[in-house]
Amino acid sequence: MKTLIIDGREELSRAELHEKIASALDFPEYYGKNLDALYDCLTDMADETEIEIVDFEAFSECHGKYANRLVRVILEACEGNEKLHIKFKDGR
């Protein structure tokens, strides 16, 4: 199973965040590092994959509305790919 942990306490830029996602989930080199490309790659994944978001409140404080849009994209991708799962964890 592939696992990606997005820790909201890490202050990553959008570019760094997309690099982390791409690296952890073995996205292809042509990954566009934007939300549309993220959706496409997540819905194409064939391996069981779990995305864990730790301390969403801190993540939201750091990324603002982008955090909500990113999570919405992941949730929509979960609906389109039964092998993709998301969970939220408190940061304490």
Side-chain angles (χ1 to χ4, degrees), residues 33-83:
K33 298 181 181 100
N34 60 58
L35 296 178
D36 289 333
L38 176 62
Y39 178 83
D40 291 342
C41 285
L42 290 176
T43 55
D44 286 344
M45 296 191 72
D47 297 329
E48 287 290 330
T49 302
E50 181 173 87
I51 298 173
E52 180 177 313
I53 299 180
V54 178
D55 199 346
F56 179 76
E57 187 175 323
F59 184 62
S60 185
E61 287 175 14
C62 181
H63 291 281
K65 291 180 182 179
Y66 193 77
N68 291 325
R69 293 195 323 250
L70 182 125
V71 168
R72 187 173 56 236
V73 165
I74 295 169
L75 289 169
E76 289 173 3
C78 287
E79 290 176 11
N81 184 344
E82 64 184 23
K83 295 191 180 243

Side-chain angles (χ1 to χ4, degrees), residues 1-6 17-28 31 38 41-52 74 84-85:
M1 174 185 288
K2 293 182 182 179
T3 303
L4 165 64
I5 298 174
I6 298 174
L17 178 61
H18 280 280
E19 283 294 327
K20 179 177 181 160
I21 293 168
S23 176
L25 301 181
D26 297 322
F27 283 177
Y31 171 58
L38 176 62
C41 285
L42 290 176
T43 55
D44 286 344
M45 296 191 72
D47 297 329
E48 287 290 330
T49 302
E50 181 173 87
I51 298 173
E52 180 177 313
I74 295 169
L84 180 64
H85 312 281

